[in-house]
Amino acid sequence: MSCVTLKNVTKPSYFKGWEDMGQLDNKVALVTGGSTGIGLAIARRFAAEGATVYLTGRRKAELDAAVEAIGEQAVGVQSDVSKLDDLDRLFAMIEARSGRLDVVVANAGIAEFARVGEITEEHYDKTFDINVKGTLFTVQKALPLLPDGASVIVLSSINASKGIEAMSVYSATKAANRNFARTFAAEFAGRGIRVNAISPGPIETPGIDGLAAAAVQGDQQFKDGFAAAVPLGRMGRPDEVAAAAVFLASDQSSFTTGAELFVDGGLAQI
């Protein structure tokens, strides 16, 4: 797969006010599924906090646009986390260019509706391959590059804690990812590597737009129903998840591991 890099790009306006924060100064980070939605918001914020950010995506056009939007601290690598050869090429490139990874965000994932009676083997395999296999082997193959004290962040979901119609396969993958955060945290504790999960609620992303388009009740009604269920009365923003990721990636969370941080407006809590 190809690598895309854009240098000497003027930082856009969303960086204003963040330049001096530097919570991730001189860090090297990887965000899988970083070309759109939550992954892109995390990659943007990491770069704004001073990190060099590698981001992956399956679609070249979206990945190129993401790298251009973030600027000179971003390196795009077109790859599919469900393909181990792609992951091998990704980590070989990171090792050659940077020599280490201080932060790994295993974010790449997909979600599709399927009621129990409609689930196909193809749907099951596709969802588990990207969401679970991709997460597991992303972290496994990153391990040789992680220094002591590194941070690993796994994206789970409120679906791991709630029963939502037609989402049983997706929800099972996110429950698996939540448990990965616990077991990885136990295994890596001796090296001071912290592993935590972020579980977003309904967030305004292209992914949820795709689910809304497939909903029987129609796009806007689907979104309005989600927003009405949230105690704070609205959908979340990708940058709100990104803020949680910065906390878990930075030294501010130095005594936090194995935890699940909900960014859901209270939906799974109240």
Side-chain angles (χ1 to χ4, degrees):
M1 295 289 184
S2 60
C3 170
V4 181
T5 310
L6 196 70
K7 295 183 178 181
N8 301 319
V9 175
T10 302
K11 291 184 180 180
S13 59
Y14 52 71
F15 283 103
K16 291 179 180 177
W18 289 358
E19 293 91 341
D20 298 328
M21 294 174 68
Q23 294 188 68
L24 302 178
D25 278 349
N26 302 314
K27 301 280 189 183
V28 181
L30 167 67
V31 181
T32 64
S35 57
T36 63
I38 289 171
L40 176 56
I42 292 172
R44 281 174 167 171
R45 185 65 187 271
F46 279 10
E49 296 288 354
T52 296
V53 185
Y54 292 88
L55 55 153
T56 73
R58 290 178 293 162
R59 293 175 290 274
K60 185 177 186 301
E62 291 180 355
L63 185 63
D64 288 352
V67 171
E68 184 173 2
I70 296 168
E72 60 186 0
Q73 288 167 257
V75 180
V77 185
Q78 187 183 1
S79 62
D80 182 337
V81 297
S82 70
K83 297 178 179 178
L84 300 193
D85 286 346
D86 280 13
L87 289 176
D88 287 337
R89 283 192 290 272
L90 167 66
F91 289 110
M93 196 203 74
I94 294 172
E95 182 175 22
R97 291 175 61 104
S98 298
R100 72 178 199 281
L101 268 175
D102 303 294
V103 183
V104 174
V105 181
N107 167 74
I110 60 168
E112 296 174 347
F113 287 124
R115 293 182 177 276
V116 173
E118 302 165 346
I119 294 170
T120 63
E121 185 176 13
E122 180 185 11
H123 168 73
Y124 176 92
D125 288 345
K126 178 183 177 182
T127 308
F128 265 83
D129 279 355
I130 293 174
N131 294 8
V132 180
K133 177 183 174 183
T135 295
L136 171 61
F137 286 103
T138 293
V139 176
Q140 182 199 75
K141 291 177 180 294
L143 263 179
L145 298 180
L146 296 180
D148 292 357
S151 174
V152 175
I153 301 168
V154 173
L155 266 291
S156 184
S157 167
I158 61 165
N159 287 61
S161 302
K162 296 179 69 67
I164 298 176
E165 291 182 67
M167 296 292 283
S168 57
V169 174
Y170 173 77
S171 299
T173 67
K174 291 303 182 176
N177 285 352
R178 172 62 186 104
N179 197 268
F180 279 158
R182 288 190 173 101
T183 53
F184 295 167
E187 288 193 27
F188 306 162
R191 292 183 52 201
I193 296 174
R194 298 175 293 105
V195 187
N196 295 286
I198 296 177
S199 288
I203 307 294
E204 288 278 9
T205 63
I208 208 162
D209 287 343
L211 287 175
V216 174
Q217 66 267 49
D219 297 25
Q220 195 56 51
Q221 190 175 348
F222 174 84
K223 287 186 172 183
D224 289 346
F226 249 143
V230 175
L232 290 184
R234 63 173 176 85
M235 303 270 282
R237 301 185 303 273
D239 61 284
E240 291 176 308
V241 183
V246 170
F247 167 71
L248 292 176
S250 74
D251 293 340
Q252 298 299 312
S253 59
S254 58
F255 200 54
T256 303
T257 194
E260 180 175 14
L261 179 52
F262 286 90
V263 186
D264 66 348
L267 182 56
Q269 315 306 315
I270 300 173

